Amino acid sequence: MSENNSASKVSIEEFPSPIAELRSLIRERKITKDLFETIEFKQLLEKVSECAASDDPRTVWISISTLGRMASISKPAERIAAPLIAQRLSNALPDAIRLGDGEDRYYLAKSLETSENKKIVDLAFKEIAEEDVAETARRVWVNIASKNCATLTEFLQRINKELSFITPSLNDNPDAICRRIRRINSSLEDVLATAETDSGEDIGIQLRSLYLSHLPNSGPNDRDLRTDTSEDFLSSLKRIARLNFVARTDPVVYRIVDGIRRWWRPASPPKSFEIKAEQITRLGVESLLSFAKQGVMNKPLREALTSASNKQTVERAAREFASQSLGIEPDIAYWFINGAEPRETRSIRAVDAISETKLDEYIAHLLISLESPELQGTELEQALKDVVDIMPAEGETLSGATKRISQVAQWSRAIARMRRIELSPLQNETVSYDPSVHAGEDDLKIGMPVRVSTSGAIKKTQGDIQAVLIKAEVERLYG
């Protein structure tokens, strides 16, 4: 768990004596319930607490780390050490000092895991990028950092920023940079695939930055490292795309595959690479099918899938999935398989463009309906709790309906994002009345403040010009 023991591990004599004494007791396995009752041990802990309150940053951080070591020994030890850690964390903390030993960094991370202090969150991102060997420590830092980010996009963005500071210290050595990113990636995969945190709008862009932007277009120099890393990255992408709905529908995620393939040019990557690339592509084609069933031709996603493998692979997978699916409109099915619309369909669309506008309006109405309080998770969950104990069968039905509603909401919002449709203004917002975008009582005056009772919907067109699809319903403010 520690790194470069002979060079970077600090000898126990260099610690303040109370810290050195407590670490010696831990190392010699003398931390027992009998010891807790002694006056000498209680006095020792008081001195350790004084060290934790020191003006010297290194003494503060090593004190917290040492208390974290003690807390890991047993539940009784944790009950004694945890309040001391919490008390210290409740006060102002000094600037971060990177501890030289991997185990010390791990126990420090464990001690800080429950804190939301901005300084600790900043330290977590720094340690994610800088940690070299102590992977268990990095995973704890990942947990601290991810739970303090509103979205996975923000989480990855901050990691990429820290990595941009680190790479110059590696003398721009592609192999060294690659090994570091590979280790970081192994710690991130679970969070990116399964975390309940919202993915955000640009998770694909930030994933691409993590895997590709810190390395040259040719990737690592060592061929074996290139092969192993590419397979690691593709395995992670496959898992993320399989479990993270937003990532699975983001075209940029699939373009990462082609970016990694370029590491071998002008040669070709190994067969194992193309096998994984095809597996990822098939996941994307399944998402493409879901859009097709809704009557939507997701062209950016299809183009990205073609770059991930090739046109033939996409068409083969599409033909297989289409043969097993019912309910796709013939024209959409033709496009889904061939990537092009029938000629007669194109001419009809050119003449009757109003159908596109109608589709946008239907999607907008669907988004507004999903904003209904009755369809929000908390309302349904409470109803489920009220019903399940009294009527188990009905409760099971309600539970299934709740999950289906959540899926409907996810797909609807994905379709809306693709067509650049969003709710605006939102329910309960206070806005200035404008009859061109608001619907309300006849006696409302232009410019007067009103409350939005039902959200409106807009579509962003070229140049980010906003077209109103549905006017927001508003009412005058009272009181």
Side-chain angles (χ1 to χ4, degrees), residues 116-380:
E116 297 178 0
N117 185 299
K118 181 182 181 300
K119 186 167 289 189
I120 291 173
V121 177
D122 292 343
L123 175 61
F125 279 105
K126 188 176 181 66
E127 288 290 333
I128 290 170
E130 290 190 355
E131 185 61 80
D132 289 323
V133 176
E135 295 302 317
T136 50
R138 180 183 276 121
R139 292 181 188 278
V140 182
W141 293 121
V142 164
N143 183 45
I144 294 172
S146 62
K147 74 180 183 182
N148 284 285
C149 288
T151 66
L152 294 178
T153 295
E154 176 193 346
F155 171 62
L156 283 169
Q157 190 173 33
R158 292 194 62 179
I159 291 174
N160 281 318
K161 183 178 180 181
E162 290 294 335
L163 269 171
S164 69
F165 297 145
I166 295 299
T167 49
S169 69
L170 300 174
N171 299 318
D172 293 324
N173 181 330
D175 290 1
I177 295 169
C178 182
R179 290 188 182 95
R180 184 177 296 271
I181 296 173
R182 188 181 176 193
R183 289 194 294 266
I184 292 172
N185 176 65
S186 68
S187 300
L188 301 183
E189 185 180 315
D190 283 345
V191 170
L192 297 176
T194 63
E196 295 182 2
T197 307
D198 183 69
S199 294
E201 293 295 323
D202 296 322
I203 187 171
I205 292 173
Q206 293 304 323
L207 273 172
R208 189 184 190 284
S209 181
L210 175 67
Y211 292 146
L212 299 175
S213 296
H214 306 286
L215 290 165
N217 290 337
S218 56
N221 293 325
D222 183 85
R223 184 177 179 82
D224 289 339
L225 177 62
R226 189 187 317 155
T227 300
D228 292 344
T229 301
S230 66
E231 294 200 7
D232 281 352
F233 286 178
L234 290 195
S235 293
S236 294
L237 278 176
K238 177 184 174 183
R239 185 165 181 239
I240 292 167
R242 182 168 59 86
L243 297 176
N244 184 310
F245 171 79
V246 174
R248 182 154 35 104
T249 57
D250 189 336
V252 181
V253 168
Y254 301 96
R255 293 194 179 278
I256 296 171
V257 178
D258 187 51
I260 299 174
R261 182 184 285 108
R262 291 171 186 268
W263 290 354
W264 276 272
R265 291 188 176 179
S268 298
K271 184 177 180 180
S272 57
F273 177 97
E274 295 299 354
I275 290 173
K276 288 181 181 292
E278 182 171 348
Q279 291 169 345
I280 294 171
T281 302
R282 287 178 64 85
L283 287 171
V285 173
E286 284 188 88
S287 294
L288 199 66
L289 175 63
S290 299
F291 283 108
K293 287 180 177 179
Q294 305 299 318
V296 176
M297 300 179 191
N298 192 331
K299 295 179 181 179
L301 179 58
R302 187 187 182 93
E303 290 170 1
L305 292 172
T306 301
S307 76
S309 288
N310 53 58
K311 187 173 183 291
Q312 293 73 24
T313 298
V314 174
E315 289 182 359
R316 185 170 60 250
R319 191 172 292 106
E320 176 188 337
F321 290 137
S323 68
Q324 301 168 0
S325 302
L326 301 175
I328 309 179
E329 295 178 17
D331 292 344
I332 300 292
Y334 183 92
W335 174 86
F336 174 66
I337 294 172
N338 300 287
E341 301 174 57
R343 288 186 178 180
E344 61 272 20
T345 301
R346 288 201 293 270
S347 62
I348 290 171
R349 288 182 186 276
V351 174
D352 194 13
I354 194 170
S355 62
E356 291 289 317
T357 303
K358 277 294 180 187
L359 176 60
D360 288 340
E361 289 180 6
Y362 296 151
I363 295 170
H365 279 295
L366 181 58
L367 285 183
I368 293 171
S369 298
L370 289 170
E371 292 295 298
S372 169
E374 296 85 357
L375 296 181
Q376 300 307 304
T378 52
E379 296 280 346
L380 291 171

Side-chain angles (χ1 to χ4, degrees), residues 18-19 22 42-54 59-60 63 67 80-81 83-85 87-88:
I19 300 299
L22 180 57
K42 292 177 181 179
Q43 291 175 340
L44 175 62
L45 287 183
E46 288 181 8
K47 293 176 182 177
V48 171
S49 296
E50 291 173 3
C51 289
S54 166
T59 300
V60 172
S63 299
L67 287 169
I80 294 173
L84 299 177
I85 296 171
Q87 180 182 5
R88 181 61 190 87

Side-chain angles (χ1 to χ4, degrees), residues 424 436-438 457-459 466-472:
S424 179
S436 66
V437 294
H438 304 142
I458 61 171
K459 179 182 177 75
Q466 297 183 356
V468 177
L469 296 175
I470 300 173
K471 291 184 178 182

